Amino acid sequence: MELLTSYTLGELKNRLQAIGLEPYRANQVLLWVYKKFETNFQNMTDLSKAHRDMLSKHFRIHTLEPIERVRANDSIKYLFRTEDNHIIETVLIFEKDHLTLCLSSQVGCAVGCKFCATAKDGLLRNLSTAEIIDQYLWVQKDTAQRIRNVVFMGMGEPLANYEALRKAVEILISPWGIDLSKRRVSISTSGLVSQLRRMAQDPLLREVNLAVSINAPNQQLREFLMPISKTNSLKDLMKVLADFPYPPDRRIMLEYVLISGVNDSKNHAEELAKLLKPYRRKFKVNLIPYNPDPNIPFERPSMDRVYAFQEVLRSHNISTFIRISKGIEVFGACGQLRSKRLELVVK
Ligand code: SAH
Ligand code: SF4
């Protein structure tokens, strides 16, 4: 059986035609799936019984199996099992006045950042479009309020799974799909330069928000924290970002995880300010105090140091915000998502 959530509207029209249904039925079915979150074809009452049966025979909607839900004050972490028995996770975050859903794009991650728990497993595999969309469908089904903000900041490097990500974003932002505002979908990347070039040329993906994990103000330190910088140098990264075709009022978000004694001094802040100076209006900076992990020998700096770092950037007129990760107590925060540990939690 095929997964309905693998298809864009255009693709589904062709597919339905091939099995003997009128193409416009695709609009009807997707309305049920993405607007009413109906997952049983038999409940799609504006279709005839014969059509419902035909759809049930060919398609299914869910691919993930929800296995656990871990609540914290400010977030809920959902664990899902894939059909081939991997565990992935999705975090729903309660912001002041809205919900944000943090989606995973891969099982594990190949990028290998030293401070990140997801890196410990390496890359097990990419998630499919249907697996990405299914995270949204399950969590929305479990949540009374509509989820209107989505960030690709869960497990994995989204731009290393470009095709599946692209189609998932198309489903998330299309009027026939989940219909989120483009400005409420964010892709966070470790800075894969060739993929960023591709994204810059891509009329669909360049419309959503771009966040880039910069984490260090110079090549040497960045290479230490993020070994992919050897082949994706800070210089090339800054160039592709400076050229990124955003209208003047849009800014790329630079994420900087502050790690005690590693990249959090005032000198580091000065160096970062200098790096960003030529493109000041192109960026804003999010400072993320490091979330500790028992297997990683790094620590979170004191809030005084975090504020001092922010002050330096602000004194250079760089918009800088501090983002304390939610969900720390359930290991649902940035860099804490890891399939292996979660299997232990579940058992
Ligand atoms: N792979 C993508 C998206 C997932 S990571 C990326 O790297 O951008 C999402 C964010 O969490 C990144 O900005 C990353 O730098 C940050 N992060 C990773 N480990 C962290 C940790 N232990 N504490 C705080 N932030 C962390
Ligand atoms: Fe992968 Fe992002 Fe973690 Fe780096 S920070 S290992 S890119 S998930």
Side-chain angles (χ1 to χ4, degrees):
M1 262 207 289
E2 301 164 53
L3 281 165
L4 196 87
T5 48
S6 309
Y7 292 103
T8 61
L9 177 64
E11 291 170 343
L12 188 62
K13 284 184 172 171
N14 290 336
R15 194 64 202 113
L16 291 189
Q17 200 162 26
I19 62 172
L21 283 171
E22 302 96 322
Y24 77 89
R25 299 280 178 204
N27 299 72
Q28 254 174 309
V29 175
L30 292 188
L31 195 77
W32 281 103
V33 176
Y34 292 131
K35 300 293 189 307
K36 302 181 194 167
F37 303 105
E38 181 56 63
T39 46
N40 182 347
F41 292 108
Q42 295 305 333
N43 295 338
M44 300 183 180
T45 45
D46 56 355
L47 294 159
S48 69
K49 179 79 175 77
H51 286 164
R52 283 182 264 160
D53 289 346
M54 223 160 142
L55 288 167
S56 315
K57 201 176 100 202
H58 281 92
F59 299 101
R60 62 208 161 88
I61 293 168
H62 287 308
T63 170
L64 299 175
E65 180 196 349
I67 51 174
E68 177 84 81
R69 202 209 260 138
V70 190
R71 273 175 187 279
N73 276 341
D74 52 12
S75 62
I76 303 179
K77 182 169 69 179
Y78 291 83
L79 307 188
F80 297 106
R81 197 193 306 278
T82 64
E83 288 175 31
D84 58 349
N85 266 322
H86 290 300
I87 308 289
I88 62 163
E89 35 178 286
T90 310
V91 185
L92 179 67
I93 302 161
F94 306 108
E95 315 267 12
K96 237 179 276 150
D97 54 357
H98 66 271
L99 300 170
T100 297
L101 189 63
C102 179
L103 296 177
S104 292
S105 57
Q106 298 184 310
V107 188
C109 182
V111 173
C113 303
K114 286 231 172 55
F115 48 83
C116 175
T118 305
K120 295 278 170 193
D121 300 331
L123 176 65
L124 300 179
R125 72 166 171 83
N126 281 333
L127 292 179
S128 65
T129 296
E131 286 167 329
I132 295 171
I133 293 300
D134 211 18
Q135 297 172 57
Y136 184 98
L137 292 183
W138 275 120
V139 179
Q140 180 63 83
K141 224 174 174 178
D142 191 47
T143 312
Q145 201 181 328
R146 257 314 285 280
I147 303 166
R148 298 196 188 280
N149 293 266
V150 165
V151 295
F152 283 90
M153 290 189 189
M155 296 162 68
E157 166 49 54
L159 292 189
N161 185 13
Y162 197 94
E163 291 302 334
L165 169 82
R166 187 180 195 283
K167 212 195 265 192
V169 169
E170 187 174 351
I171 295 171
L172 287 169
I173 66 175
S174 293
W176 50 260
I178 294 170
D179 201 15
L180 303 177
S181 150
K182 293 171 197 164
R183 300 296 169 94
R184 293 180 181 212
V185 173
S186 302
I187 296 173
S188 175
T189 175
S190 55
L192 305 180
V193 173
S194 60
Q195 299 299 72
L196 280 164
R197 281 199 198 106
R198 189 170 169 195
M199 190 176 164
Q201 302 298 319
D202 187 329
L204 181 90
L205 281 195
R206 72 177 180 210
E207 289 292 309
V208 303
N209 297 319
L210 175 60
V212 178
S213 302
I214 184 148
N215 295 329
N218 61 55
Q219 177 64 26
Q220 198 194 0
L221 185 53
R222 193 163 194 269
E223 234 177 84
F224 166 69
L225 289 171
M226 306 176 75
I228 51 131
S229 303
K230 288 192 189 106
T231 43
N232 294 263
S233 73
L234 189 55
K235 192 162 159 245
D236 290 348
L237 178 59
M238 292 312 292
K239 167 106 180 70
V240 71
L241 297 181
D243 295 343
F244 205 83
Y246 259 4
D249 62 322
R250 283 190 76 189
R251 286 166 197 241
I252 296 171
M253 170 71 71
L254 296 180
E255 296 166 284
Y256 193 108
V257 180
L258 283 166
I259 306 171
S260 178
V262 175
N263 64 355
D264 65 335
S265 73
K266 282 189 180 177
N267 283 343
H268 290 126
E270 289 288 351
E271 207 179 350
L272 183 62
K274 207 166 146 200
L275 179 73
L276 302 185
K277 197 163 187 161
Y279 332 99
R280 211 165 38 77
R281 266 183 283 276
K282 189 99 198 186
F283 298 117
K284 55 190 172 183
V285 176
N286 255 359
L287 300 175
I288 314 171
Y290 173 72
N291 298 316
D293 182 285
N295 299 308
I296 300 175
F298 287 148
E299 282 168 23
R300 173 181 280 206
S302 69
M303 280 318 283
D304 283 352
R305 268 175 95 84
V306 174
Y307 290 128
F309 198 98
Q310 180 186 36
E311 265 322 297
V312 172
L313 292 178
R314 288 200 162 163
S315 72
H316 289 277
N317 293 317
I318 296 168
S319 317
T320 309
F321 308 91
I322 296 172
R323 209 186 75 202
I324 308 280
S325 300
K326 315 257 177 175
I328 290 182
E329 62 270 52
V330 293
F331 286 107
C334 302
Q336 296 185 312
L337 304 183
R338 187 173 175 199
S339 50
K340 287 219 177 95
R341 168 169 43 228
L342 293 161
E343 273 171 296
L344 295 178
V345 172
V346 175
K347 277 168 194 160

